[in-house]
Amino acid sequence: MFLEKDSHNKSKGWIEVVCGSMFSGKTEELIRRLNRARIAKLRVEIFKPGIDTRYSEEDVVSHNANALHSIPVENAQQILFYSNECDVIGIDEAQFFGNELIDVCQQLANQGIRVIIAGLDMDFMGKPFGPMPQLMAIAEDVTKVHAICMRCGSLAQYSHRTIAGDKLVVLGETESYEPLCRECYMKAMAEKAQKETNANPSL
Ligand code: ZN
């Protein structure tokens, strides 16, 4: 389990990333850290991209319904605007922000703010997602959390999409995804390719 660094020096900024697949508990871990900062009487603010409208307009909602009030923003620059007077900033679903989030997080940390970022590290194709790889590179601390593979019970790191189509992860459609381990994900992708070949023998 992640243990907070000694926050004796409140004015020291840094960046933490919590990443993983869908159903890996990223948001729960973000909320846990933010709640502990709040108990320590630090000023906390949480942001999420405006496109994430599942369940509630204003709360960061994880699958276990452990909600925290949050501010939906249209772009990463707006986080700078709202983060005056904050000690700790949480950013949920960070994969949906553009690459400008990287610079925004650097600026916040350089100003002495503790920045905690949660997001999907890979899309359903198994490719690094949005600004997440760069954020992991510049962070002081990276935690990769895992789901449980729906097919074999191992640790899962892939968000396998169970429906057809090539659109990237759409929030609110979590029922269309299953967490899989590497081996089961490879098998599932091979089965999918086989099905497509059978459906279009000319390919
Ligand atoms: Zn598996």
Side-chain angles (χ1 to χ4, degrees):
M1 182 183 288
F2 173 87
L3 295 173
E4 289 86 348
K5 292 170 188 69
D6 186 5
S7 52
H8 184 67
N9 185 355
K10 272 192 184 178
S11 64
K12 223 170 156 216
W14 72 79
I15 299 171
E16 295 159 35
V17 172
V18 182
C19 63
S21 68
M22 295 174 85
F23 311 106
S24 62
K26 303 178 295 296
T27 301
E28 286 87 344
E29 177 60 15
L30 173 68
I31 290 170
R32 190 185 74 87
R33 294 183 192 185
L34 293 173
N35 274 335
R36 289 168 65 82
R38 216 167 252 174
I39 292 165
K41 306 238 181 321
L42 296 172
R43 290 161 298 181
V44 174
E45 208 67 77
I46 315 151
F47 300 93
K48 64 173 185 179
I51 56 162
D52 178 10
T53 53
R54 65 182 162 175
Y55 308 125
S56 156
E57 279 293 328
E58 294 208 325
D59 293 325
V60 168
V61 177
S62 65
H63 295 290
N64 73 5
N66 201 352
L68 275 182
H69 186 75
S70 72
I71 303 174
V73 289
E74 294 304 318
N75 56 62
Q77 292 296 329
Q78 287 183 356
I79 298 174
L80 291 175
F81 179 76
Y82 288 116
S83 58
N84 280 342
E85 315 260 299
C86 281
D87 301 304
V88 182
I89 282 181
I91 302 170
D92 198 22
E93 303 291 358
Q95 75 279 356
F96 287 119
F97 285 102
N99 279 344
E100 74 275 7
L101 181 62
I102 302 155
D103 189 49
V104 165
C105 289
Q106 292 279 40
Q107 284 188 52
L108 292 168
N110 293 347
Q111 286 167 26
I113 294 171
R114 176 182 170 199
V115 184
I116 313 172
I117 301 157
L120 285 170
D121 47 9
M122 289 186 278
D123 63 23
F124 75 97
M125 295 296 288
K127 299 277 189 316
F129 206 147
M132 292 302 290
Q134 286 93 332
L135 291 167
M136 289 158 78
I138 62 167
E140 269 84 353
D141 187 276
V142 177
T143 304
K144 184 152 179 162
V145 287
H146 295 86
I148 299 298
C149 178
M150 294 299 287
R151 302 196 182 179
C152 79
S154 302
L155 289 181
Q157 65 164 348
Y158 293 99
S159 308
H160 175 242
R161 183 152 66 183
T162 51
I163 53 163
D166 54 11
K167 218 162 63 172
L168 279 186
V169 172
V170 180
L171 281 162
E173 287 186 358
T174 50
E175 68 277 7
S176 314
Y177 297 88
E178 60 176 353
L180 293 182
C181 71
R182 180 180 295 275
E183 200 182 339
C184 294
Y185 180 76
M186 295 294 286
K187 268 188 213 158
M189 295 307 268
E191 282 162 18
K192 205 179 268 180
Q194 188 60 47
K195 250 185 223 163
E196 272 162 26
T197 314
N198 291 348
N200 303 288
S202 60
L203 289 180

